[in-house]
Amino acid sequence: MAGLLYRLGRFCASRHWLVIISWILVLAISGGTFALFSGTISSAISIPGTATEKVQDRLAEKFPAATGGSGSIVVATENGAAFTDAQKREITALFGGIKTMDGVKDAIDPFAQQKQLDDARTKVTDGRTQIADARARLDAAQQKIDAGRTQLAQAQQQLDQKKSQAQAAGQYAFAKPQLDRAQAQLDAQTPQLAAGQKQITDGRATLQTQQTKLEQGAALLDLSKNIRVVSEDGSAAIGTIRFDQSTFATPQPQKQAISDKAEKAGIAGVQVEVSHDIAQGVPSVLGPGEIVGVIIAAIVLLVMLGTVIGAALPLVSAILGVAVASLAALSFSNLVEFISVTPVLGVMLGLAVGIDYSLFILNRHRSQLKRGMSVHESIGLANGTSGNAVVFAGSTVIVALLALNITGIPFLGLMGTVGAGAVLVAIIIAITLTPALLSLVGVRILKKKERAAIGRDGTAPRLPTTPMSTWRAIVTLVAGVIVLVVIALPATQMRLGLPSGASEATESTQYKAYKTLEQKFGAGQNGPLLAVAELPEPVAQADVTATEVTIGRAIAGQQNVAAVAPIGASDDRTVIAFQVVPTSGPDSETTEQLVRDLRGVSVDVDGGRATLGVAGNASANIDVSTNLATVLPIYLVVVVGLSLLILILVFRSILVPLTATLGFVLSLLATFGGITAIYQFGWLGAVFGVHDPAPILSFLPIIEIGILFGLAMDYQLFLVSGMREAYAHGHEARVSVQRGLHAGRAVVTAAAIIMTSVFSGFIFSESSTIRPIGFGLGFGVLVDAFLVRMLLIPAVMHLLGRSAWWLPRWLDRILPDVDVEGAKLEREHPATGPIPAVASSDPSAFTPQGRDDELVSVGAPSGGAASSAAGSAGSGSAGSAGSGAPSGGVPSASGAPSGGGRHAAAASGDRDVPADTDAGSGSSGRGPRHRA
């Protein structure tokens, strides 16, 4: 690989314009495909197959008329007084206008809806009065019937007495006609009384039926009595906007049109705010915070490299890579659903690793130029050494990101794929465009003083020859672990959820709408739940209301329920839906518990027991968190397992990869602790713009794990490979730790600061989803690079000593020889040493002309001939001068190659002869096997 990258670097350097133009064409093609094939980006965060989605699908199946998403527009008076009639008319007109807009199924006027609710309650009161009056009339009629019966009975008794008297007097035959007429009159009254009684009985039955229905309706109204769309003081109102499609499928331009119309309503004395469901849009890729992060990265580059050209080159490479990767990825957004955070994540990673990877190669090139190597040879060697390390380091990041696909969660898999694509483009840019740009600028990549010093000060700085003290290593390790554990403590209380309007900026319309609803209608109004009852068999039409009351009361009987309102029954009467308003907001623990309680409810109904399913924000939070918790162990095993294999290949050690992974676990827990403390507890909220602490974004932990693991292994590779190289060159194990750290810490420090700056720029993004991700990545890199990689790992390596590089013999024999830093390539293409003083510091004297020996005009020997370098007077390094053992692997006078381990040092008579001092230098093959 190193040789291939060397040749690639030389090719790109000699044909720099071809490479630069090719990348410009690639950018143009990516832009063209984006313009032709890109689609819309969604703000949806969902997982197929969850309980929430099944309930939503069931609703769509059984209530086709109710399909489509919804959002809210909240209106409130500025002075807190009740709406005037003029304001009500203008608000009604606003909703009437929205109703005619594209994509809108209905826009419900809150005043009309509240009037319907109030009228329904009034009807119940009136109905009860009417029933009471009807019952009184029936009672009066019953009294008359009863009195008539009494009178009839008395008349019958009197008539019977007359009959008896007539018979006793012997006058019955004479009185019989008269008595018969009287009896006939009495008999005629009996059917009348019976008919009247029947009317009363039927009336009572009808009245009872009406009363039952009325009381059932009253019971439903009583369950929903806390649901209002106009506040009790008349100063605020909620208007519901129903879409033709689901909320997340509704095109953003249609939502934006609604937001614009609401913003321009211009109703005097009235604030019009749009809810999170409508106003949540796609965040901009680069905002002010992100630009500040890039500016800080530019400042760090300028301070480190000392030239504007040097600082600009990594930035140009990274920005080009981000543009290509983002445009190419979004070209598929018409085929695959992109959530809004996906392209932003790609930009984050592309900028951060793009700058760092280019910097590693550039820094190596600068070091070689200062030692007198020709421009093209230096470019090729830097590409074959540091570029080789970049490829391996980037591979760990790509593996970690692509492994997100094994979670089976589509949006996470896509995020990982897009992020891996951005990293891959950054790698390719670093090993092709960076060499081309370095060739274009020539030695102007160096400061004037550095160019003037070529040949006068070409010696490498002497590296440490003594190890750190063991007590210092112990104290560093113990103190570092304690600090990380303390920072990690808040993570023990981490809660996961999805963002709500409360997470948005305080000046945003979403936040104002959320707060108005919370203050005027209760926190639960911001996140109502949908409860769907599955009946064991269809219920009779006449029994629907009674069944709704039975189930509604069972729902209302749960804790933390503020109101229950029936939505209706399906056409086949097998499903009944309810809106449930919790007492707390959508991200509250009590609301989450309510969801769990409702899912466990079963109600006795005719034919068996009805069970409940739940949908809504809190329900989605639980489902997303549960699914992520299920796949997280599998993801960790795959990512850590594959990365450990890569690290074992790179370092040819068992303990080094294990300590690297344990260090990552500590830095990860500390990162989670910092995120929890700031975004969930609200610590330092004023600094980070956290005004309403809330649960942590559900998918943030798994995203942080994937990205931070890859980046942590980047720094592990660049630092520890220097330790391994020193050990392979024959230095004592503990001394090698110091030499490797000393050689790599400057460039890794700069790289970590740059990456932290880029990530931190997203902390102040307009999106509540992006902000915690940006903080987590920035803080994670900071902790891992400076606490773990530069303090704990060197301390652990010191304490382990030679055992850190232990590898079973059988494994040593079967492992391929991975030369990460291209040490073999260095031995084939040694760096030149000091050269004669330069006569002129004119940059034009160093401008590359497409040859390997551009510096011959100033007396620099060619960097491509080992014999020339070996034969040049004073061509050795400081450590080899006078001993005949030049550094960089040039054959010594004794014939012992300096890259050959302890034997080389012995041949030169200097056990601590410095190895190649370039920052981040890597291993030199199977070095430990050469140790005596």
Side-chain angles (χ1 to χ4, degrees):
M1 175 66 78
L4 175 63
L5 291 175
Y6 168 81
R7 293 190 294 273
L8 178 63
R10 291 294 300 259
F11 173 84
C12 294
S14 61
R15 294 169 176 79
H16 49 262
W17 281 118
L18 174 63
V19 175
I20 293 170
I21 293 172
S22 297
W23 274 110
I24 293 174
L25 287 175
V26 170
L27 176 62
I29 292 171
S30 300
T33 56
F34 170 78
L36 292 173
F37 304 113
S38 64
T40 58
I41 297 178
S42 170
S43 54
I45 298 176
S46 62
I47 299 178
T50 62
T52 296
E53 186 165 285
K54 290 177 181 177
V55 170
Q56 292 171 339
D57 292 342
R58 188 67 168 157
L59 283 172
E61 174 190 351
K62 292 296 184 179
F63 298 88
T67 55
S70 64
S72 301
I73 293 181
V74 181
V75 291
T77 58
E78 295 176 351
N79 59 6
F83 292 108
T84 64
D85 291 339
Q87 289 172 334
K88 289 181 179 180
R89 286 193 295 270
E90 290 188 71
I91 292 171
T92 299
L94 170 64
F95 285 99
I98 293 175
K99 188 173 183 178
T100 63
M101 298 178 69
D102 291 340
V104 177
K105 180 184 293 186
D106 196 7
I108 302 174
D109 175 16
F111 302 112
Q113 186 179 13
Q114 186 64 52
K115 186 175 184 303
Q116 291 177 352
L117 292 173
D118 294 340
D119 288 347
R121 293 185 173 93
T122 301
K123 286 180 180 178
V124 169
T125 303
D126 294 344
R128 284 173 172 164
T129 300
Q130 291 172 1
I131 287 174
D133 292 343
R135 182 173 284 110
R137 290 193 296 271
L138 288 174
D139 290 344
Q142 184 67 54
Q143 290 177 356
K144 291 181 179 179
I145 292 293
D146 292 341
R149 285 176 176 169
T150 300
Q151 293 175 357
L152 184 62
Q154 291 175 350
Q156 184 66 50
Q157 184 179 8
Q158 292 175 358
L159 183 61
D160 291 342
Q161 290 177 352
K162 289 181 179 181
K163 287 181 180 180
S164 298
Q165 293 174 355
Q167 289 175 348
Q171 297 179 355
Y172 180 77
F174 175 77
K176 185 175 182 302
Q178 184 179 358
L179 292 174
D180 289 341
R181 286 194 297 272
Q183 185 65 52
Q185 289 177 354
L186 292 177
D187 292 341
Q189 291 180 18
T190 300
Q192 293 176 359
L193 289 174
Q197 184 62 57
K198 184 176 184 305
Q199 289 180 352
I200 292 173
T201 303
D202 291 346
R204 289 186 183 280
T206 301
L207 192 63
Q208 184 60 43
T209 300
Q210 292 175 347
Q211 185 176 17
T212 300
K213 291 181 177 180
L214 180 66
E215 293 305 322
Q216 288 173 348
L220 293 178
L221 284 173
D222 187 58
L223 291 173
S224 63
K225 64 183 178 182
N226 292 326
I227 296 179
R228 297 185 60 86
V229 292
V230 176
S231 63
E232 292 185 358
D233 62 4
S235 65
I238 316 167
T240 302
I241 310 299
R242 294 181 57 196
F243 302 115
D244 292 329
Q245 304 180 65
S246 69
T247 304
F248 297 123
T250 301
Q252 187 58 34
Q254 293 181 356
K255 292 183 181 179
Q256 188 60 49
I258 296 173
S259 296
D260 292 343
K261 190 173 183 65
E263 183 180 356
K264 298 175 183 177
I267 304 174
V270 175
Q271 292 180 332
V272 182
E273 309 296 349
V274 182
S275 73
H276 188 67
D277 296 320
I278 300 175
Q280 186 184 34
V282 178
S284 59
V285 173
L286 284 177
E290 294 87 331
I291 294 173
V292 169
V294 174
I295 292 173
I296 294 174
I299 293 172
V300 173
L301 288 170
L302 185 60
V303 171
M304 177 185 179
L305 302 176
T307 64
V308 174
I309 291 177
L313 194 147
L315 290 174
V316 170
S317 299
I319 291 172
L320 177 64
V322 164
V324 170
S326 299
L327 292 173
L330 290 173
S331 298
F332 295 93
S333 57
N334 199 32
L335 301 175
V336 182
E337 183 178 1
F338 275 65
I339 66 170
S340 57
V341 71
T342 301
V344 180
L345 182 65
V347 171
M348 276 189 194
L349 285 172
L351 278 176
V353 302
I355 294 173
D356 278 6
Y357 291 167
S358 180
L359 174 62
F360 289 134
I361 296 173
L362 184 152
N363 187 68
R364 183 64 171 252
H365 171 61
R366 291 177 75 253
S367 298
Q368 293 167 170
L369 283 183
K370 286 188 287 186
R371 294 206 301 273
M373 184 175 287
S374 63
V375 173
H376 284 194
E377 177 67 10
S378 177
I379 291 172
L381 188 58
N383 213 47
T385 53
S386 291
N388 197 30
V390 162
V391 171
F392 275 94
S395 298
T396 62
V397 183
I398 291 174
V399 166
L401 289 169
L402 288 179
L404 286 170
N405 286 279
I406 69 171
T407 62
I409 300 174
F411 78 87
L412 274 182
L414 184 61
M415 289 172 68
T417 301
V418 171
V423 175
L424 178 61
V425 172
I427 294 172
I428 298 173
I429 286 272
I431 61 177
T432 57
L433 182 62
T434 297
L437 294 176
L438 289 173
S439 174
L440 183 65
V441 302
V443 294
R444 286 173 295 176
I445 197 71
L446 301 176
K447 295 184 288 187
K448 287 184 179 181
K449 290 183 179 180
E450 291 172 334
R451 294 199 297 267
I454 292 177
R456 291 201 298 269
D457 186 19
T459 60
R462 192 171 183 84
L463 295 177
T465 58
T466 58
M468 75 173 79
S469 71
T470 300
W471 275 110
R472 176 185 169 189
I474 293 173
V475 170
T476 299
L477 179 60
V478 173
V481 170
I482 290 175
V483 169
L484 290 173
V485 169
V486 170
I487 297 174
L489 285 177
T492 59
Q493 301 180 50
M494 178 186 284
R495 292 180 53 238
L496 301 179
L498 295 176
S500 65
S503 303
E504 300 297 336
T506 54
E507 67 274 8
S508 68
T509 185
Q510 305 101 296
Y511 181 81
K512 293 176 181 177
Y514 187 97
K515 285 301 179 181
T516 300
L517 288 177
E518 184 177 73
Q519 294 166 5
K520 296 294 185 178
F521 300 94
Q525 191 65 49
N526 279 299
L529 303 173
L530 285 174
V532 176
E534 293 279 354
L535 304 180
E537 59 184 35
V539 66
Q541 182 68 53
D543 297 333
V544 169
T545 305
T547 305
E548 287 178 336
V549 172
T550 300
I551 299 174
R553 284 175 173 164
I555 295 173
Q558 305 301 310
Q559 290 185 341
N560 306 311
V561 174
V564 180
I567 295 175
S570 60
D571 292 339
D572 59 4
R573 299 184 298 283
T574 59
V575 173
I576 298 177
F578 298 85
Q579 183 188 59
V580 182
V581 179
T583 56
S584 51
D587 53 10
S588 169
E589 288 184 85
T590 56
T591 303
E592 291 183 8
Q593 185 58 49
L594 173 60
V595 172
R596 297 186 182 94
D597 293 343
L598 290 176
R599 285 176 171 172
V601 169
S602 62
V603 186
D604 287 326
V605 295
D606 290 341
R609 298 183 68 82
T611 57
L612 291 181
V614 184
N617 283 346
S619 172
N621 288 347
I622 293 173
D623 294 340
V624 171
S625 300
T626 300
N627 281 47
L628 291 174
T630 301
V631 301
L632 184 58
I634 301 172
Y635 175 72
L636 281 175
V637 169
V638 172
V639 171
V640 174
L642 291 177
S643 297
L644 281 175
L645 289 177
I646 293 175
L647 293 177
I648 290 173
L649 285 174
V650 170
F651 296 119
R652 306 191 68 78
S653 165
I654 298 295
L655 294 179
V656 171
L658 287 177
T659 56
T661 303
L662 290 175
F664 162 73
V665 171
L666 285 175
S667 62
L668 180 69
L669 293 176
T671 301
F672 287 166
I675 293 172
T676 304
I678 290 173
Y679 291 94
Q680 183 177 316
F681 296 170
W683 298 355
L684 300 176
V687 176
F688 295 95
V690 181
H691 41 77
D692 288 70
I696 305 304
L697 189 66
S698 292
F699 60 86
L700 185 145
I702 198 167
I703 286 290
E704 297 281 337
I705 288 171
I707 297 174
L708 288 178
F709 187 84
L711 298 180
M713 295 308 105
D714 275 8
Y715 296 133
Q716 176 80 8
L717 190 149
F718 279 105
L719 282 172
V720 180
S721 60
M723 301 176 190
R724 169 167 163 69
E725 183 180 16
Y727 180 69
H729 283 184
H731 296 291
E732 197 270 329
R734 289 182 171 87
V735 174
S736 299
V737 172
Q738 288 293 84
R739 296 173 74 90
L741 178 62
H742 184 87
R745 63 188 177 189
V747 69
V748 169
T749 296
I753 292 174
I754 289 169
M755 192 170 284
T756 300
S757 300
V758 172
F759 287 145
S760 298
F762 290 85
I763 293 174
F764 304 100
S765 168
E766 63 187 45
S767 170
S768 58
T769 302
I770 300 298
R771 289 196 292 268
I773 295 178
F775 172 83
L777 293 178
F779 185 68
V781 168
L782 198 66
V783 168
D784 192 84
F786 292 100
L787 284 181
V788 175
R789 304 304 149 191
M790 293 193 189
L791 290 178
L792 297 189
I793 293 300
V796 171
M797 295 287 288
H798 175 89
L799 295 175
L800 289 175
R802 292 183 59 180
S803 60
W805 304 107
W806 172 80
L807 187 70
R809 292 183 179 275
W810 64 268
L811 184 58
D812 186 38
R813 287 192 297 270
I814 64 175
L815 282 180
D817 189 1
V818 178
D819 185 13
V820 177
E821 275 284 357
K824 293 180 180 178
L825 181 67
E826 287 186 277
R827 291 194 291 272
E828 296 172 1
H829 302 270
T832 55
I835 60 177
V838 183
S840 170
S841 60
D842 181 7
S844 63
F846 302 97
T847 303
Q849 303 297 326
R851 299 177 56 216
D852 294 343
D853 54 347
E854 294 87 341
L855 301 183
V856 293
S857 62
V858 292
S862 169
S867 59
S868 173
S872 299
S875 64
S877 69
S880 60
S883 68
S887 68
V890 181
S892 67
S894 65
S898 66
R902 189 184 297 270
H903 303 295
S908 67
D910 182 3
R911 186 169 181 264
D912 291 319
V913 58
D916 180 28
T917 59
D918 291 345
S921 59
S923 68
S924 58
R926 302 173 179 254
R929 296 179 63 190
H930 297 305
R931 293 185 59 83

